[in-house]
Structure formats: C-alpha cells, structure tokens
C-alpha cells in the first residue's frame, strides 16, 4: 500500500469487501451444458485462467458458467461478470463490457451505466494498481469478443 487514501478510505473498504466476497464465494460456477459460447481466457503475466460458458436463448443470456483460477481480482471480476450477464440481452452485455473497459481506464461512465454495473464499480478501485487492470479486464474482454463473434455468425 502506498498510503494516503485521499479521503476515499471508506469507499475503498467497501470496494475491498465486494471483491473479497466474490473471490471467496464466486457466483455461477456450474458448467453449462451445450453452451453457445465457450471460451478460455488467460493472463500469462499473472497466471489467471478462466473457462467461460454461456447459453444464449432468444437473444438473452439464459445460463452462464465461469470456472478457473487466478488472483483475487481476476476471480472476483469473473464472478461479478457472471452475475451481471445472466438474463441480459447481447446488446446489454456489450454495453456493460464497454462501460467496464472505460471504468478501468479511468474514463467517465454515465449514471445509467453506473446503475447497470452496480457492485462492479468496485473494480474501479483496481485503477490504482495498473498491473491488476489486465486481471480485472480479462474475462470481460474475452467475453465481449466472443459475443461479437457469436452474433456475427
Ligand atoms: Zn491476476
């Protein structure tokens, strides 16, 4: 830790609690049968590896399963992603992926996007640790690309 929280101490604690909760109890880790989207993502710089499976029915994500291992940030991020995408339409997922990318780059997100992201805003705390940004974005970028490929078929 570099010290000097700039008055954001309480917020950081909240963020940390959300990350730790998802790290310790990841959501949606069951395998999906006959997935429409099935991809592996990895971040060799950190050793994060995840297997992401989605079932897409009537243009909405009906099932999601994410398994794998990695650092706390990458695992919490994957769990938050799993929780968010369930029941969302493809375009909603794409907007969320885009918002998360901008959040982690330190760019503005709209109030509407913040509402959609909810707890995922906790990932924004990772910006202070640039080496962890790849960990936080890993599953999001992978899913965003896979979803675009799937829709293009
Ligand atoms: Zn990592």
């Amino acid at each position: 830790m570099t010290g000097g929280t700039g008055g954001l101490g309480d917020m950081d604690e909240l963020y940390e609690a959300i990350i730790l909760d998802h790290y310790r109890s990841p959501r949606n880790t069951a395998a999906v049968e006959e997935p429409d989207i099935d991809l592996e993502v990895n971040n060799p710089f950190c050793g994060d590896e995840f297997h992401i499976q989605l079932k897409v029915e009537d243009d909405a994500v009906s099932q999601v399963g994410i398994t794998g291992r990695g650092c706390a940030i990458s695992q919490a991020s994957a769990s938050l992603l799993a929780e968010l995408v369930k029941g969302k339409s493809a375009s909603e997922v794409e907007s969320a992926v885009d918002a998360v990318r901008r959040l982690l780059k330190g760019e503005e997100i709209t109030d509407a996007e913040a509402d959609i992201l909810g707890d995922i805003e906790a990932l924004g705390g990772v910006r202070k640790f640039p080496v962890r940004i790849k960990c936080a974005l890993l599953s999001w970028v992978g899913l965003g690309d896979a979803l675009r490929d799937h829709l293009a078929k």
Side-chain angles (χ1 to χ4, degrees):
M1 292 297 142
T2 50
T5 53
L8 290 170
D10 291 345
M11 200 182 254
D12 284 351
E13 267 172 45
L14 172 67
Y15 282 180
E16 206 175 292
I18 292 168
I19 301 278
L20 282 176
D21 176 44
H22 278 266
Y23 170 54
R24 291 185 182 134
S25 339
R27 320 299 201 260
N28 299 94
T29 54
V32 174
E33 273 180 51
E34 296 178 37
D36 297 300
I37 293 175
D38 195 322
L39 73 144
E40 311 259 353
V41 292
N42 71 85
N43 171 17
F45 298 101
C46 184
D48 310 319
E49 286 182 343
F50 295 93
H51 184 191
I52 303 175
Q53 296 180 308
L54 295 187
K55 200 148 184 71
V56 182
E57 283 169 301
D58 300 326
D59 190 44
V61 176
S62 61
Q63 286 181 60
V64 52
I66 302 185
T67 52
R69 63 199 160 79
C71 62
I73 296 293
S74 67
Q75 294 202 49
S77 179
S79 172
L80 284 158
L81 171 119
E83 202 174 54
L84 178 103
V85 299
K86 205 165 180 188
K88 294 278 193 296
S89 73
S91 62
E92 284 172 327
V93 172
E94 282 197 273
S95 317
V97 170
D98 183 53
V100 168
R101 254 188 234 259
R102 278 183 287 125
L103 175 75
L104 284 163
K105 278 199 237 158
E107 293 172 14
E108 297 267 324
I109 61 168
T110 66
D111 289 345
E113 285 170 334
D115 279 349
I116 293 166
L117 295 187
D119 280 353
I120 293 162
E121 270 204 90
L123 289 176
V126 173
R127 281 196 304 263
K128 282 184 290 178
F129 310 102
V131 291
R132 292 278 174 233
I133 293 177
K134 261 200 169 74
C135 304
L137 273 177
L138 178 65
S139 48
W140 293 87
V141 170
L143 174 67
D145 291 349
L147 190 64
R148 209 167 305 121
D149 286 352
H150 176 74
L151 294 175
K153 272 177 201 159

